[in-house]
Amino acid sequence: MKKVTILAVIVSALWLATMVWFICLRVEFNQNCKGYLKQAADANTIELAIERLDKAINYVELKDWTDGYTSILWRTEDENIGFWYTNIKASRTELEKALDSSQMEQTNVLMKLRETLTDNNENGTYITYPDGLWKYPHNMEFAVFSWIIHILLIVMWILWLIKISEGF
């Protein structure tokens, strides 16, 4: 009984540590990339959009999120990091070109930027980026580790419940 309880606690602690790690990575991504992309999409001036887009691009380049796929089993275009990165870099170039343009042309470029950075669904507007980008390039390791931890957690708790029921 004691061994099963200790194993269940250890596996539970590993699961909890993994969830905390996931949350930290997600928060870091939201603060250093997604938030700036949202602000760039919402910007009312070219200068502000460039400033915010540059912060997101710098973070993406720091993380080396410039090529590859976030998918594990097969490649789908909604998980194509290279396309996404090239697209936001092209948007940055368009913003730079529009700095000396008329107000109407600047507004058009800002609208195009918003359309590039956001999408809509039944829940409203959201920032577009490859699914699972926040854990790239370790998506496979995260998936395998998560499955192992979840399976071990279930097995350990079942064994623990069996041992407890035998005691009654």
Side-chain angles (χ1 to χ4, degrees):
M1 168 86 173
K2 211 173 205 176
K3 289 180 186 178
V4 173
T5 302
I6 291 170
L7 283 174
V9 169
I10 289 171
V11 172
S12 296
L14 282 173
W15 176 83
L16 183 61
T18 302
M19 293 301 109
V20 169
W21 188 24
F22 281 12
I23 290 167
C24 289
L25 287 175
R26 191 91 185 217
V27 167
E28 179 188 353
F29 170 73
N30 289 344
Q31 290 175 334
N32 295 305
C33 186
K34 186 179 173 184
Y36 291 125
L37 292 173
K38 170 79 168 95
Q39 290 177 339
D42 291 342
N44 282 319
T45 67
I46 296 288
E47 295 82 7
L48 186 56
I50 288 173
E51 176 191 322
R52 294 303 162 170
L53 197 55
D54 280 348
K55 288 185 180 212
I57 290 171
N58 288 339
Y59 180 75
V60 166
E61 290 172 347
L62 177 72
K63 291 292 213 171
D64 198 25
W65 293 343
T66 58
D67 195 30
Y69 287 81
T70 60
S71 47
I72 297 169
L73 298 178
W74 50 80
R75 293 180 173 192
T76 59
E77 288 309 307
D78 62 328
E79 296 171 333
N80 185 337
I81 297 170
F83 174 80
W84 174 76
Y85 172 72
T86 302
N87 214 21
I88 61 173
K89 287 289 282 189
S91 293
R92 169 64 171 86
T93 302
E94 289 294 315
L95 289 168
E96 192 75 37
K97 288 179 187 176
L99 274 171
D100 297 323
S101 300
S102 69
Q103 185 62 41
M104 187 172 85
E105 195 169 320
Q106 287 185 8
T107 300
N108 287 341
V109 170
L110 288 170
M111 287 174 27
K112 183 177 176 185
L113 175 67
R114 183 167 180 79
E115 289 175 2
T116 299
L117 296 178
T118 63
D119 254 328
N120 296 301
N121 63 15
E122 62 275 355
N123 297 322
T125 303
Y126 62 94
I127 299 298
T128 55
Y129 56 89
D131 189 34
L133 183 63
W134 57 274
K135 54 189 169 184
Y136 184 80
H138 305 291
N139 299 47
M140 176 63 94
E141 293 90 341
F142 275 105
V144 170
F145 188 70
S146 292
W147 276 104
I148 290 170
I149 289 295
H150 282 93
I151 289 168
L152 285 174
L153 186 64
I154 291 167
V155 168
M156 289 297 114
W157 283 106
I158 289 172
L159 288 174
W160 184 73
L161 289 172
I162 290 170
K163 289 290 185 182
I164 285 182
S165 66
E166 288 174 354
F168 290 111

